[in-house]
Amino acid sequence: MALIGIYTTNRALRDQIRGALVPLHGVVDAPTWDVFLRTVRERPVGGLLVHLGEKGMGSRSTIAPLLDVRRRFPSIGLIPVLDDTRNPQALFELGKAGFENLVLLSVGGLEWELRRWVARASLLGVTATVLRSLSSFVPPRELGPVRTAFDSVHKCWSAEEFSEVVGLSRPYLSERFKRCGLPSVGHLLVWVRLMHAAQWLPDPGRTGQSVSRQLQYSSGAAFRRALQNYVGKTPTQVAEKGGLSYVLGRFMAACGFVQRWPFGRADAA
């Protein structure tokens, strides 16, 4: 259940999008383009749906606002939503700019289209990247709760709340995690937040302070302290070392998987 940001001033379309995504994802929207951009920067959004041609997007060009979002926040999967196929210029611009994930509202089955493209856009996200690395080492029974933890980072659950959602006591879930090399529930949830942070830190439109707010740390200092304690680096150093790939390497090393992980030696250095 990732958090998906949507921008449209069309109330009926907004309701349709919510109806399609809410069973699987959290959804957050904004009344204006400026507020939407601030939401992208300040909330732990994992994907974006933007209705093209909306008033207030601040550009005569159809896709200029999308290009600006992609430049500032390249870590987030971005899905343009186009009213119909009768705008060949917009389709040409989107194709030329490399936007492969596109929802056409003239196509039937909007609910299925939205879910399909959101799933596709998430393939390069934090959850999918981490699960691909862990799947060779962690049994499916434990990998399921790990997926839940990564997909629900925006909920900022405590160890007890997370264990309750999974349906197990915190001590028992921690014991199960430890048996397969994972950290305890509490430590895993910290790693989850730090790996999301590592994904976002290299974005030009973010700062260490804004990332700390995304993850609801009490202060920028608290976020930097957690990063230093677990990874031994500052936010700037994490961004310079590759962001997620670096912190994921440190996590794999902490779990004892690094010797068997193809990227572990380089990324854990």
Side-chain angles (χ1 to χ4, degrees):
M1 183 180 283
L3 184 64
I4 307 299
I6 61 175
Y7 182 71
T8 179
T9 59
N10 184 320
R11 181 175 298 179
L13 176 58
R14 184 168 60 244
D15 291 343
Q16 276 187 293
I17 293 174
R18 281 187 170 275
L21 298 182
V22 165
L24 300 174
H25 302 282
V27 172
V28 60
D29 56 55
T32 69
W33 183 247
D34 288 341
V35 174
F36 176 73
L37 293 177
R38 187 161 62 248
T39 298
V40 176
R41 187 180 66 248
E42 302 290 334
R43 297 289 302 277
V45 175
L48 300 173
L49 281 162
V50 178
H51 187 197
L52 290 182
E54 291 288 272
K55 294 180 180 180
M57 291 180 73
S59 176
R60 293 182 180 179
S61 169
T62 303
I63 71 166
L66 291 183
L67 293 174
D68 179 59
V69 171
R70 188 170 67 176
R71 177 188 62 80
R72 295 169 62 185
F73 309 105
S75 66
I76 303 181
L78 179 58
I79 304 173
V81 178
L82 193 62
D83 281 304
D84 55 42
T85 59
R86 292 174 295 178
N87 190 339
Q89 182 61 32
L91 289 173
F92 173 76
E93 291 181 5
L94 288 166
K96 185 178 179 180
F99 286 100
E100 298 179 354
N101 301 325
L102 174 64
V103 174
L104 299 174
L105 297 185
S106 60
V107 176
L110 176 60
E111 177 177 316
W112 180 84
E113 282 287 304
L114 287 168
R115 291 181 180 179
R116 179 168 72 95
W117 287 117
V118 167
R120 178 171 174 172
S122 69
L123 290 177
L124 297 178
V126 179
T127 301
T129 300
V130 173
L131 292 181
R132 281 194 294 269
S133 297
L134 289 178
S135 60
S136 298
F137 312 110
V138 178
R141 188 178 69 164
E142 282 70 39
L143 207 58
V146 172
R147 177 190 293 274
T148 299
F150 276 92
D151 273 346
S152 304
V153 66
H154 57 286
K155 295 183 179 293
C156 291
W157 283 323
S158 68
E160 286 72 18
E161 289 169 335
F162 172 70
S163 301
E164 184 177 349
V165 168
V166 171
L168 300 171
S169 70
R170 181 187 56 76
Y172 180 61
L173 183 57
S174 288
E175 181 60 30
R176 275 179 42 179
F177 280 168
K178 290 177 181 179
R179 286 176 187 171
C180 60
L182 293 170
S184 66
V185 174
H187 287 294
L188 176 70
L189 292 178
V190 176
W191 276 110
V192 167
R193 295 170 84 183
L194 295 182
M195 280 190 262
H196 276 87
Q199 174 85 333
W200 298 326
L201 283 170
D203 284 358
R206 304 189 196 278
T207 64
Q209 194 70 24
S210 71
V211 170
S212 73
R213 290 194 294 270
Q214 282 182 275
L215 295 167
Q216 297 185 32
Y217 276 94
S218 59
S219 66
F223 167 59
R224 292 190 296 272
R225 186 162 54 249
L227 202 57
Q228 186 68 40
N229 289 341
Y230 279 73
V231 184
K233 302 295 179 184
T234 66
T236 299
Q237 289 171 330
V238 167
E240 291 172 346
K241 284 183 171 290
L244 176 59
S245 63
Y246 177 75
V247 175
L248 177 54
R250 296 302 298 264
F251 174 74
M252 298 294 283
C255 293
F257 303 146
V258 66
Q259 296 298 331
R260 294 171 287 161
W261 191 55
F263 308 106
R265 291 179 181 272
D267 291 337

